[in-house]
DNA sequence: ATCGGCTCGCGCAA
DNA sequence: TGCGCGAAGCCGAT
């Protein structure tokens, strides 16, 4: 089922009688459970044309490095193969996305794209809409309830968006059926030679797909991506890896998710966020699988709250607030709050570089930073603590915001995601309520290491992290400290 | 161990 | 205009 709310024309041009339907794949980079893809197939069948899929790979995407490109490419090659099995050709082309989309659409009847929520993705769609000469339609496949359908404004908190989303779930939490591309009528209308011409002017197509590691190394080098952040050996990119993790999560962890998800010393998370970020798995598919699972209803509800309400609150934030990635995007009461605390004394002040190298006095914080640097994903609970402490130990909250965004975007596989921006902003009070006033934070929620000790076996988290960092060959002085003493800088007697 | 208060503003009821 | 209540907590009183 593709609801009309997911579909929006981005220009007023006509559908031509030309050679093929084009799907400019960008945010939903997958062959399964993709509304934009299914819509494109239906249109191709209606028009009796073939379908061509194109993905534009941007060299120098802001903040993207070898870790991100590697994960994305693993997924893209898998998607290309999966589409081929459905009789659909997909080209991965290096260049500027709107130019590639425009150029590739020259011989197209109709162009389809999907929907990402970052500013740069909005800009690409706008630019493409100006350049594409045929009809150009956007089909949303990255959320369960389309953002503008759920709400027409920036929401204040989870509690304000929750009723708006839940009342629409009956409608939008619905399965998506696959349509087969009708190859008999479509197959003959484009020849291989013509096909390759489509991309000639658009950019350089990535052809190689050797077995083994997919040969991403050379491609990443060609793209000029920052090699200093290494690919993660903990998370393999692609839909197959995502589905396997999801299955395992539902089978073994979902029942205890409500009670154990916050414990950093355990691993009761679904770890879907990197895959969701790169569009390698559908949030709708995950939600349906969890809902249909024969697991405890409360557990499933807690998970659904996170993957639907909280995740889509972050899309709402990025969609309606252009300053989602800067300090100025925070609510007025927060800005006023921090202005009043400008001159509060800071006991520790670290630079962005010191944070990056995990050189703080706090071993819990250092462990969290190292976990992120080594694996590409920090435990969700530690992300809160991590962000709160950057506020406490920076020159000022504006610097803190910059540091947190920089580090999150650089090391997290799910960095540069609406969830990441909303998560950082949450640490600064966004979407949260005020609490007891205290130094530096004012009435923005405070967190401290006592909470970690009170609630979890946090020492075992530190130990676990130190071990996996060593296994990864992380060589930082902070790691040695982590191995030697792991009591958050205090004597064991005090604990 | 458990509990209430802290603190702001949205959204709904009236 | 008043009132209830909220994404993950902390702290002091009991």
């Amino acid at each position: 089922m593709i609801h009309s709310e997911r579909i929006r024309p981005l220009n007023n041009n006509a559908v031509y009688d030309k050679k093929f339907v084009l799907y400019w794949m960008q945010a939903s980079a997958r062959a399964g459970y993709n509304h934009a893809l299914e819509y494109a197939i239906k249109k191709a069948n209606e028009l009796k044309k073939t379908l061509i899929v194109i993905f534009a790979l941007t060299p120098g995407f802001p903040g993207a490095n070898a870790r991100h490109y590697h994960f994305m490419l693993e997924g893209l090659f898998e998607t290309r193969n999966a589409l081929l099995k459905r009789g659909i050709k997909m080209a991965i082309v290096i260049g500027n996305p709107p130019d590639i989309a425009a150029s590739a659409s020259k011989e197209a009847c109709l162009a389809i794209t999907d929907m990402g929520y970052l500013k740069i993705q909005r800009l690409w769609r706008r630019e493409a809409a100006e350049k594409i000469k045929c009809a150009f339609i956007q089909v949303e496949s990255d959320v369960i309830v389309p953002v503008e359908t759920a709400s027409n404004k920036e929401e204040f908190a989870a509690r304000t968006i929750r009723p708006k989303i839940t009342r629409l779930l009956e409608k939008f939490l619905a399965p998506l059926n696959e349509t087969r591309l009708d190859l008999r009528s479509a197959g003959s209308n484009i020849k291989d030679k013509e096909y390759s011409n489509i991309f000639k002017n658009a950019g350089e197509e990535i052809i190689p797909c050797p077995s083994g590691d997919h040969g991403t190394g050379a491609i990443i080098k060609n793209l000029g991506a920052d090699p200093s952040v290494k690919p993660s050996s903990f998370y393999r990119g692609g839909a197959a890896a995502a589905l396997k993790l999801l299955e395992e999560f539902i089978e073994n962890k979902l029942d205890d998710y409500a009670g154990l998800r916050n414990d950093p010393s355990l691993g009761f998370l679904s770890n879907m966020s990197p895959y969701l970020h790169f569009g390698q798995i559908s949030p709708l598919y995950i939600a349906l699988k969890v809902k249909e699972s024969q697991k405890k209803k409360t557990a499933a509800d807690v998970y659904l709250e996170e993957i639907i309400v909280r995740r889509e609150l972050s899309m709402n934030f990025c969609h309606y607030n252009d300053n989602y990635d800067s300090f100025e995007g925070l609510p007025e009461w927060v800005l006023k709050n921090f202005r009043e605390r400008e001159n509060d004394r800071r006991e520790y002040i670290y630079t962005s570089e010191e944070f990056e190298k995990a050189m703080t006095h706090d071993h819990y914080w250092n462990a969290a930073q190292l976990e992120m640097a080594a694996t590409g994903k920090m435990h969700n609970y530690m992300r809160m603590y991590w962000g709160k402490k950057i506020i406490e130990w920076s020159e000022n909250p504006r610097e803190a915001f910059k540091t947190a965004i920089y580090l999150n975007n650089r090391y997290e596989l799910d960095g540069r995601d609406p969830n990441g921006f909303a998560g950082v902003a949450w640490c600064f009070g966004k979407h949260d309520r005020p609490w007891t006033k205290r130094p530096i934070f004012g009435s923005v929620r405070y967190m401290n290491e006592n909470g970690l000790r009170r609630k979890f076996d946090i020492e075992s988290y530190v130990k676990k992290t130190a071990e996996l960092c060593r296994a990864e060959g992380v060589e930082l002085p902070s790691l040695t400290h982590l191995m030697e003493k792991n009591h958050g800088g205090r004597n064991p007697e005090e604990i």
Side-chain angles (χ1 to χ4, degrees), chain A residues 1 3 21 34 42 57 63 69 72 83 99 136 150 156 159 165 170 192 227 250 304 315 333 357 360 387 435 482 492:
Chain A
M1 176 78 194
H3 295 94
V21 171
N34 179 341
K42 279 184 194 202
L57 197 59
Y69 279 114
M72 180 165 69
L83 284 174
D99 289 338
F136 181 35
F156 188 78
R159 77 187 148 90
I165 286 178
E170 205 182 336
D192 279 359
I250 292 175
L304 291 174
M315 309 297 172
W333 74 269
K357 290 180 179 152
T360 79
W435 300 88
L482 211 61

Side-chain angles (χ1 to χ4, degrees), chain A residues 432-482:
Chain A
D432 200 14
R433 60 191 276 203
W435 300 88
T436 312
K437 280 199 163 84
R438 65 176 68 241
I440 302 173
F441 286 84
S443 49
V444 166
R445 182 198 300 260
Y446 173 74
M447 290 175 79
N448 65 13
E449 61 185 41
N450 293 328
L452 297 177
R453 281 199 281 258
R454 190 172 63 244
K455 284 180 270 201
F456 314 115
D457 180 4
I458 193 68
E459 302 302 341
S460 114
Y461 168 73
V462 174
K463 211 173 146 198
K464 199 177 72 175
T465 307
E467 276 160 14
L468 70 84
C469 285
R470 202 170 42 173
E472 275 300 286
V474 174
E475 284 174 36
L476 284 175
S478 48
L479 181 61
T480 321
H481 287 280
L482 211 61

Side-chain angles (χ1 to χ4, degrees), chain A residues 67 229-235 368-377 411 465 468-470 472-474:
Chain A
R67 171 172 295 178
V229 183
K230 303 274 177 293
S232 167
S233 54
F234 292 83
Y235 299 97
Q369 170 66 26
L370 287 167
E371 181 192 20
M372 173 171 76
T375 69
K377 195 168 176 295
Y411 291 101
T465 307
L468 70 84
C469 285
R470 202 170 42 173
E472 275 300 286
V474 174

Side-chain angles (χ1 to χ4, degrees), chain A residues 6-154:
Chain A
R6 292 197 190 275
I7 303 162
R8 174 193 284 185
L10 295 180
N11 65 17
N12 296 315
N13 300 341
V15 175
Y16 297 132
D17 183 19
K18 286 197 173 176
K19 290 177 180 163
F20 56 88
V21 171
L22 177 75
Y23 167 26
W24 168 31
M25 175 185 273
Q26 206 63 50
S28 301
R30 60 181 177 271
Y33 249 82
N34 179 341
H35 296 85
L37 172 66
E38 298 305 327
Y39 182 85
I41 293 171
K42 279 184 194 202
K43 285 292 168 189
N45 287 348
E46 273 173 32
L47 295 164
K48 298 198 188 315
K49 304 287 177 182
T50 194
L51 171 66
I52 285 173
V53 178
I54 189 163
F55 186 98
L57 197 59
T58 334
F61 188 94
N65 53 48
R67 171 172 295 178
H68 303 117
Y69 279 114
H70 177 78
F71 191 91
M72 180 165 69
L73 282 166
E74 282 185 323
L76 285 174
F77 290 136
E78 191 181 327
T79 297
R80 186 164 67 176
N81 287 337
L83 284 174
L84 212 52
K85 280 186 189 149
R86 294 180 71 181
I88 301 163
K89 279 184 178 170
M90 169 177 168
I92 303 164
V93 182
I94 297 172
N96 182 40
D99 289 338
I100 287 171
S103 174
S105 69
K106 274 183 189 147
E107 297 298 321
C109 318
L110 164 71
I112 313 287
T113 194
D114 46 33
M115 187 164 182
Y117 291 87
L118 301 179
K119 280 186 273 195
I120 192 161
Q121 294 169 310
R122 288 204 287 268
L123 182 70
W124 285 344
R125 288 195 298 272
R126 253 202 318 276
E127 284 180 18
E130 282 169 18
K131 291 174 179 167
I132 289 175
K133 297 288 187 288
C134 60
F136 181 35
I137 299 173
Q138 165 186 295
V139 182
E140 143 56 46
S141 194
D142 198 37
V143 292
I144 289 155
V145 179
V147 169
E148 290 182 10
T149 309
S151 172
N152 58 7
K153 61 169 186 184
E154 182 181 1

